Structure formats: structure tokens, C-alpha cells
Amino acid sequence: MNSITVLKPGAQTQLQDEGRYGWQRFGVPVGGAMDLWSHRVANLLAGNAADEATLEILLTGPSLRFEAAACIALCGADLSAQVGDEPLPMYERIQLPAGAQLDFGRRVNGLRCYLAVRGGFAVPPVMGSRSTFVRGGFGGFQGRALRKGDVLPIGAGQPAELPPAVLPEDISVPVPLAAAQAVTPVRMVPGEHAALFAPEVHALMAQATYQLSPQSDRMGYRLEGPALPRLPGGELISEGVSFGTVQVPPDGQPIVLMAERQSAGGYPKIAHVASVDLPLLAQMAPRQALRFVPVTLAQAQALHLERERQLQALRPLLLGPPGAPT
């Protein structure tokens, strides 16, 4: 049987894809991979379509037995993956024999590792997505994180083996993971409610250091640092929010909304994290520090387009020219 048996589940291992779009008006969050860049590159290395699910592995990895030969890729956080005594490389195409047991050990850097397997995971989509939404109890594998004894079916119809592939050195693909003691710069653009904050508050936000609170999750990252008071005024009408929206609640401590954000919010939106830095933010652990760096919308868009150009440049290198068999 082409499947993976879960021998040990790890701290929080879930199936995630690019998200569940089109349902926010019904209160269903988009969800999907927190570090979408590492997820997408892992799928490319495994020879998968962009919408295949990967395993998002948080901090403490699982132990997995591959019941059949498989082609996999690991991207994102380095959690010391190994088969037996052999360490496995990151950002490479890896062939595993039938019966191989994949284990994870010490965290080297980052927070979330993405495991893609050739053929994807054969779980039924819910509302057009295979992403796990634990709070709602649906999607992914039975709507929950993995448990000991689970058997994950692998998609059929794709040969397990692909030619070896290593990312070229002249393309900067891995997300630059933040060092544990560093203050990581995170770029932001002004939000819709920037005018509700005095100029000195914006200056403070750009100079201050914030730490990620342990009360952070896939819905939002709470930050601890200097408060950002808003100007006196009435209440706001709730409106749509996005991945990376920086809201300021009454206590002045900013919250960055993440993959499982709510559909709408009534707190003022002082800023938005530039999309190019969302994977970096998703790989930061509680108590790590960051500093917001203001950029213009045009700069943020240029950074996003350059990142997408890199992804497009990788496709023919890893999968061959359009129409080539994979």
C-alpha cells in the first residue's frame, strides 16, 4: 500500500495546502500553510502540482514509516530529519526506499518544516482545500493533527522516482530564518487606519523591538513591546482583514493576523506585513524579537514580484520544460 504510517505524531503535525478561498463570507478562514513559500518549493521539488497538501511540522517532528518507495522534499525549518543514522538534506529531492523510517530530532532553526511527497496526500478536499482547520474539525486528515497509528494514503498515478534535484546556488530560495537572539527586520506598509495614530506613534513602531508572545498561534501573533495608542475617536465598523494585517486592540499591543485569521475585525489596522516577509514571520518562535521596517506599497509589490519570478525560474529547472513528463 502506498501510504505513510505515523509512529509518533510530533507536537502539531497537520496537512496544509495553499488555503481555502471563497468561504470567508461564511466565517470560514482561509488557513493553509503558514510559510507558503517553503510549502510551494517543497511541492516543486517533489514534482507535485501547487495545490497538493504538505505536512506542516511544528517544532517537534513526528516519526513516519513509508510503506512504499517515495520521493520527498523537506523545506522550511531544519528539525534534524534523518533516516536511521543518515541525516537528510533540506531543499533537495530525496528518494526513500520502502520501509524507511523518517525521524526528526533537534531544532536547528525555524519553527515549521514542510514535507512534500510525490503524488501528494490522498485525502478528500473540503470546500476545495485539503488544509486542516483544527478549530472547525474539518479538512486535512480527519480534521485534526496527526495521531499515533494514523495511516496517510499517498496519491496514485505518479511514479515515485524523479531525477535528483538540488536548488541552484544563484537563486535565493530558502526563507532567511531568524537567529534565536537576533532582532529580525519585518517590512510593513501603512494600513487603512494609519491616520488614526499620531506621527510619533508611527515613529515608535518603526524604532521599537517587539517579542512574539507565547499566546500566538496560526490565527494571530500577539506582540509584546511598546504600546501603540490610537487617537481619540469612535468605534470602527468591522471590515475584512488579510494575512499580515497588523491590528491594534485597546491595550495598544499589536497583533499580526496569520493564516487562520478571522474574516473581519473591528480593531484599527495600523499596517500590513509585506507578503514577502510573511514566511519569515511564520518561522519565528515565541520570545524571538522583531522590528518593523516601513516600506512603500510599490516597494512591497516589487519584492513580491521578484519572489514570484524566482519561483517561476525554478519550475523548468526542477520539473523540466512545459509539457515534459514528471
Side-chain angles (χ1 to χ4, degrees), residues 52 83 160:
E52 291 291 354
V83 171

Side-chain angles (χ1 to χ4, degrees), residues 58-69:
L58 179 68
L59 195 59
T60 303
S63 292
L64 307 170
R65 185 176 66 235
F66 289 77
E67 306 300 346

Side-chain angles (χ1 to χ4, degrees), residues 304-325:
H304 172 77
L305 291 174
E306 173 59 21
R307 178 67 63 83
E308 290 301 307
R309 185 198 65 77
Q310 290 185 350
L311 187 71
Q312 293 305 316
L314 280 176
R315 291 185 186 278
L317 294 174
L318 300 179
L319 300 179

Side-chain angles (χ1 to χ4, degrees), residues 203-326:
L204 173 63
M205 185 179 183
Q207 297 166 2
T209 297
Y210 288 92
Q211 282 190 333
L212 267 65
S213 165
Q215 278 71 54
S216 299
D217 56 19
R218 285 178 48 86
M219 184 176 181
Y221 276 8
R222 294 182 178 272
L223 304 182
E224 298 174 345
L228 303 173
R230 61 167 290 188
L231 295 170
E235 294 297 316
L236 297 172
I237 297 174
S238 291
E239 58 184 48
V241 294
S242 62
F243 197 168
T245 294
V246 184
Q247 290 188 312
V248 182
D251 65 2
Q253 296 293 310
I255 301 171
V256 184
L257 302 183
M258 302 299 283
E260 287 183 2
R261 62 204 175 272
Q262 70 274 21
S263 299
Y267 295 144
K269 297 180 282 189
I270 191 172
H272 298 278
V273 173
S275 60
V276 73
D277 282 345
L278 288 174
L280 170 64
L281 186 61
Q283 290 291 356
M284 293 182 64
R287 297 305 179 199
Q288 285 191 272
L290 63 85
R291 178 175 59 85
F292 288 111
V293 178
V295 297
T296 66
L297 178 59
Q299 289 171 324
Q301 290 172 332
L303 290 166
H304 172 77
L305 291 174
E306 173 59 21
R307 178 67 63 83
E308 290 301 307
R309 185 198 65 77
Q310 290 185 350
L311 187 71
Q312 293 305 316
L314 280 176
R315 291 185 186 278
L317 294 174
L318 300 179
L319 300 179
T326 59

Side-chain angles (χ1 to χ4, degrees), residues 32 41 45 69 82 85 88 94 145 197 205 230 264 272 278 324:
V41 175
L45 282 164
Q82 61 183 49
D85 295 327
L88 296 185
I94 304 165
F197 298 84
M205 185 179 183
R230 61 167 290 188
H272 298 278
L278 288 174

Side-chain angles (χ1 to χ4, degrees), residues 15-19 33 36 39-40 42-44 46-55 115-123 130-131 154-156 158:
L15 285 175
Q16 298 294 343
D17 59 18
E18 293 190 328
L36 190 56
H39 160 87
R40 294 167 77 186
N43 264 331
L44 264 182
N48 289 338
D51 60 350
E52 291 291 354
T54 62
L55 278 179
L115 187 158
V117 60
R118 172 75 164 163
F121 293 91
V123 296
R130 293 181 174 87
S131 283
I154 305 304
Q158 299 267 21

